[in-house]
Structures are given as structure tokens and as C-alpha cells.
Amino acid sequence: LREHPKALALDAQTDAALALLERSYASGQATSAWWFSVEAEPAYDTLRKAPRFEALRRKIRDHIAEQRQELARLRKEGLVPQRSADEP
């Protein structure tokens, strides 16, 4: 399923590619690798101008921001160790 939206985007089937990406996000399949693919995948270049694609990117970014806030909270409470200064 991960490659199917790319193939549709490359075939100029914008609506079908966006529908699959939206469905994938809604189903909870938004892994870090998936997010990176949405941000950097050249196959999605034709989709980047679409308002639906931008809305999906915003949802993904918001989700990541929420996860980072939760991680910071857990670190502050000592439930997750702090990273050392030399870790990314």
C-alpha cells in the first residue's frame, strides 16, 4: 500500500493518490518513515500544490508536534531518559 499512492501520483491520478494517502493517515499508518515520504518523496511533487495534500501535511505535522510535546512531558517527569548532548 505504501507504494501505490506514489504510482498513482506519477500516473497523474491525483484524486486517487490523495484518497489513499488520506485513508492511510486516518487508519493510523502514519509512521515516521511514512511522514518522511510525504515530505520528501519526488513522486508527490505533483500533489504538493493540491490543498488536500497540504491539509494532510498539516495534520501530520500537528501529530508530530503533539508527540514531541508528550515526549517532553514524559522526560520532564523522569519516565523517559534525557538524550545526551551528542545524540540527535
Side-chain angles (χ1 to χ4, degrees), residues 71 74-75 78-84 87:
L71 179 59
L74 293 170
R75 284 188 171 143
L79 299 171
V80 173
Q82 296 289 333
R83 285 184 168 178
S84 66
E87 288 183 285

Side-chain angles (χ1 to χ4, degrees), residues 11-88:
D11 194 35
Q13 296 183 44
T14 302
D15 287 335
L18 287 168
L20 277 179
L21 289 170
E22 290 164 342
R23 192 171 359 163
S24 182
Y25 177 79
S27 72
Q29 295 180 6
T31 65
S32 59
W34 188 87
W35 166 81
F36 181 77
S37 175
V38 167
E39 289 293 323
E41 174 57 54
Y44 296 143
D45 286 350
T46 59
L47 304 181
R48 293 196 196 326
K49 297 174 194 152
R52 283 172 61 193
F53 189 81
E54 187 53 39
L56 179 62
R57 288 172 73 185
R58 273 193 306 276
K59 286 180 187 178
I60 293 168
R61 288 179 188 145
D62 290 348
H63 175 77
I64 290 168
E66 289 170 8
Q67 293 298 305
R68 286 184 175 151
Q69 287 177 346
E70 178 65 6
L71 179 59
R73 182 188 68 76
L74 293 170
R75 284 188 171 143
K76 185 176 180 179
E77 293 177 11
L79 299 171
V80 173
Q82 296 289 333
R83 285 184 168 178
S84 66
D86 59 336
E87 288 183 285

